[in-house]
Each structure stands twice: as C-alpha cells, then as structure tokens.
C-alpha cells in the first residue's frame, strides 16, 4: 500500500514539474508584448520596440514570495510596469534611484531590485502588491538575461548612458552576453 502511494506521489510530482516547466517556457515569459499590453502604451505601435526586462522563473508557484508580481518592460525612453494586462506604472531612466542585486537566487538566477523615486510614475499606481520603502516604488525581478535574449544588457547600456549613478551592482558575465 505504501509503495503504491509513493508511486502515485512521484507521478503527481513529475506531472506538476513538467507542466510547470512547460508553462514557464512557452506561456509565462513571452518575448514580445501582446496586443492588450501594447495598446496600453501610448505612442508605440510596434511590439518589437518594447523589450522584456524581467522574467518569471519557476519555483513551484512560490516565486511570488521572492519577486514582484508585476512584469517589467522597457524601450529607449521608459520602463513600463504591467500588473497583469494593465499598465500600472511608467518611469523614465532618470527616475531610477538604485539598481542592485539581492542575495536571493531562484534556480541559480539572481534577483535584482530596482527602486524609483517617490511619485515618479506618470501613471496612477493600481497595484496593492507593491512593497513601499520611504515612499519609493520598488520591484524585485529576475532579469531577462541569456545568450538568446540579451535585453538586460541593452537595458544596462541605456541606464549607463542616462543614469550611471543608479547602478549599485555591476552585472556578471552571463547578464552581459
């Protein structure tokens, strides 16, 4: 009886693991903005102009305790924060107070923290899940940094040009490839 129960639990765990990995790879982290999110941004009609800054790693649905629920995107001028399909905030690169790495990792991916000045967003903050520190908006995210998607490297280059003092931690090799 105990062996059958263990085998059933192993099958359930395997299905959850493979399903979670598949869901994360194909549906959870799209490379381009969908039409609903693109329509929320004024003045941008091409999805390729906005690049992904954050990804959501898979940690059996516990990652929400370590990173922000919002997804971060950027273009040459702004950083866009989406809460689901809704544009929650839009910041300029000059409004970043700090970009630094935390000591937490999920699946060997470092978690970064980005802080914006208080009242810096040009939109109304609709999310209540956002942590606040000293009136500043703060988001924790895993950067979209890989060999195949170098958008975090592009983000760092733009940030170095516009607001070099905001970078508190330099990126490592894989994040600059």
């Amino acid at each position: 009886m105990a062996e059958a129960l263990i085998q059933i639990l192993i099958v359930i765990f395997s299905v959850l693991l493979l399903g979670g990995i598949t869901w994360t790879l194909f549906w959870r982290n799209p490379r381009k903005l969908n039409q609903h999110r693109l329509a929320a941004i004024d003045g941008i009609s091409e999805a390729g102009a906005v690049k992904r800054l954050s990804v959501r790693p898979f940690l059996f649905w516990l990652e929400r305790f370590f990173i922000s629920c919002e997804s971060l995107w950027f273009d040459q001028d702004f950083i866009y924060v989406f809460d689901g399909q809704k544009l929650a905030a839009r910041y300029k690169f000059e409004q970043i107070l700090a970009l630094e790495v935390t000591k937490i990792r999920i699946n060997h991916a470092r978690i970064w923290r980005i802080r914006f000045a208080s009242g810096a967003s040009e939109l109304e903050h609709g999310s209540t899940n956002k942590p606040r520190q000293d009136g500043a908006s703060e988001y924790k995210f895993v950067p979209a940094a890989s060999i195949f998607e170098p958008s975090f490297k592009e983000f760092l280059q733009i940030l170095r040009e516009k607001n070099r003092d905001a970078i508190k931690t330099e990126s490592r090799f894989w994040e600059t490839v």
Side-chain angles (χ1 to χ4, degrees):
M1 179 70 178
E3 291 177 5
L5 182 61
I6 290 173
Q7 289 177 348
I8 291 171
L9 289 175
I10 289 172
V11 168
I12 290 172
F13 177 77
S14 299
V15 168
L16 284 175
L17 180 65
L18 291 175
I21 290 170
T22 305
W23 180 62
T24 300
L25 288 175
F26 296 111
W27 292 287
R28 191 173 193 187
N29 293 316
R31 291 183 183 259
K32 293 185 180 179
L33 280 176
N34 61 22
Q35 294 301 323
H36 297 288
R37 289 183 176 181
L38 190 60
I41 301 173
D42 296 332
I44 296 179
S45 60
E46 185 179 328
V50 180
K51 296 182 174 91
R52 185 166 192 83
L53 177 59
S54 66
V55 294
R56 305 237 356 131
F58 179 69
L59 187 64
F60 299 104
W61 300 278
L62 297 174
E63 64 275 355
R64 68 177 181 257
F65 296 112
F66 303 106
I67 60 176
S68 301
C69 296
E70 296 85 7
S71 64
L72 303 171
W73 296 76
F74 73 97
D75 62 7
Q76 292 294 325
D77 301 316
F78 294 102
I79 299 166
Y80 303 100
V81 179
F82 285 94
D83 188 11
Q85 297 296 324
K86 180 183 161 215
L87 182 62
R90 179 173 61 185
Y91 300 98
K92 292 184 178 180
F93 282 89
E94 293 83 9
Q95 296 169 328
I96 298 174
L97 293 177
L99 175 69
E100 58 192 356
V101 71
T102 64
K103 294 184 181 194
I104 302 170
R105 292 177 178 255
I106 297 179
N107 297 336
H108 300 288
R110 300 187 325 162
I111 296 177
W112 288 71
R113 176 183 16 231
I114 188 168
R115 291 187 60 209
F116 297 97
S118 77
S121 175
E122 297 179 358
L123 301 172
E124 217 32 61
H125 292 290
S127 175
T128 58
N129 298 331
K130 204 173 356 295
R132 300 267 182 183
Q133 279 187 342
D134 303 329
S137 299
E138 175 183 289
Y139 302 97
K140 292 180 183 175
F141 66 97
V142 174
S146 70
I147 295 172
F148 305 108
E149 189 171 333
S151 61
F152 190 61
K153 178 182 176 183
E154 294 173 30
F155 171 76
L156 287 175
Q157 287 175 346
I158 295 170
L159 186 57
R160 279 188 190 102
E161 292 171 7
K162 295 187 178 188
N163 190 0
R164 180 176 284 281
D165 296 335
I167 301 174
K168 305 297 182 198
T169 307
E170 285 299 321
S171 59
R172 295 166 83 186
F173 175 73
W174 288 109
E175 293 154 346
T176 59
V177 171

